[in-house]
Amino acid sequence: EGSNPHGMEGDPNTGQVYFAATTQTHGEELWVSDGTISGTRMVADIMSGSMGSHPKYLIWYKDSIYFQANDGHHGTEVWKYTPQNGGTGGVASLLYDLRPGSKSSGAAFFTIMPSVISGEEFLYFTATDGLYVTASSATEGYGGSQIWRTDGTQAGTMRAFERTDNDVYMDKKWLDMDFPARMHVYENGLYLSASYGLHHVVVPKG
C-alpha cells in the first residue's frame, strides 16, 4: 500500500517540503522531507493513534506552515507548524478553535493577500463559527459560511468583513479542483467561486 503523499508546500528558508502522508501506525499526518531518505520524517502526530488528523490546504506564511487538521477534540480547525533548529524540530499548535468544541469550522482555502492600506500580508480562509449551522457535521448554514483572516496569532484572527450574517455559499467542489486549492488574488482583490445568499433568502443554483 502507498502512503499517498500530497499537498506539497515548500519552506523557502530551508528548501524542505511539507506534505500529508499516511502510515498504518499514525494514519494521515504532517511530514517533511529535505529530499533524502534520512531527512524524511513525520513532524506532527496531531491525532494520536491510527486515525490521523488529515492535514490539508498547506500554505507557507510568516515562517510557519498553516493547514486544516483535526486532533479529535476540536474538530477540523486551523493549525500551524513552526519549524525550529533549521527545520530539524518544531511545534504544531492549534491556532484558533473558531467553532468551539468538537464541531468543525472547516477552515480551508488558505490564501495570502496584502493589505492595500498597510502593506501587511494576511492569511485569508473560509470557515464557519457555527452561525445558522443546524447539523454538527456541516460547515455551512443559512447564508453559507464566512471568510476569515489572520496575522498568524489568535488575537489577530477575525471575520474579514463586518457582517452579522454569513457571507457566501462557497463552491468547495470547484475550489478543491485546483492545486493548490486556494482563492485567487488579482489587483488587490480576493476572488473565489461562490453564490450569494442571506438568512431566509432562497439562493439559486450556480
Side-chain angles (χ1 to χ4, degrees):
E1 296 181 356
S3 65
N4 189 29
H6 62 281
M8 310 291 181
E9 178 73 359
D11 174 350
N13 297 327
T14 64
Q16 295 178 323
V17 62
Y18 291 85
F19 56 95
T22 303
T23 64
Q24 290 183 345
T25 303
H26 298 287
E28 187 180 21
E29 293 291 354
L30 184 66
W31 285 67
V32 68
S33 178
D34 63 2
T36 68
I37 294 176
S38 61
T40 303
R41 60 187 176 84
M42 186 178 71
V43 296
D45 188 12
I46 294 172
M47 181 184 284
S48 59
S50 60
M51 294 296 291
S53 65
H54 304 287
K56 192 176 180 181
Y57 307 115
L58 278 66
I59 188 169
W60 182 264
Y61 171 69
K62 288 189 175 180
D63 295 325
S64 295
I65 286 284
Y66 289 77
F67 54 97
Q68 171 197 102
N70 188 336
D71 65 356
H73 302 289
H74 299 94
T76 301
E77 296 291 349
V78 187
W79 282 72
K80 76 175 188 178
Y81 175 82
T82 304
Q84 298 173 355
N85 301 323
T88 60
V91 177
S93 60
L94 176 69
L95 177 66
Y96 197 165
D97 190 8
L98 299 178
R99 190 176 178 188
S102 60
K103 298 176 182 178
S104 299
S105 72
F109 310 116
F110 300 105
T111 306
I112 299 170
M113 185 171 71
S115 166
V116 296
I117 299 173
S118 67
E120 180 183 357
E121 290 186 332
F122 291 94
L123 188 63
Y124 286 79
F125 58 96
T126 67
T128 181
D129 58 7
L131 181 64
Y132 305 143
V133 179
T134 56
S136 60
S137 60
T139 56
E140 287 194 330
Y142 293 111
S145 53
Q146 305 147 0
I147 297 178
W148 288 69
R149 78 168 201 187
T150 183
D151 62 0
T153 67
Q154 181 173 326
T157 304
M158 63 193 72
R159 290 276 300 272
F161 306 121
E162 293 182 351
R163 288 174 56 85
T164 55
D165 284 316
N166 289 319
D167 295 323
V168 287
Y169 291 92
M170 315 295 173
D171 194 347
K172 298 178 181 178
K173 174 184 176 181
W174 292 106
L175 285 168
D176 267 324
M177 292 293 286
D178 280 340
F179 179 79
R182 295 174 185 162
M183 294 174 278
H184 187 69
V185 177
Y186 175 68
E187 291 188 349
N188 302 320
L190 189 66
Y191 291 78
L192 69 156
S193 109
S195 62
Y196 181 65
L198 294 172
H199 191 35
H200 296 313
V201 176
V202 176
V203 179
K205 293 182 179 179

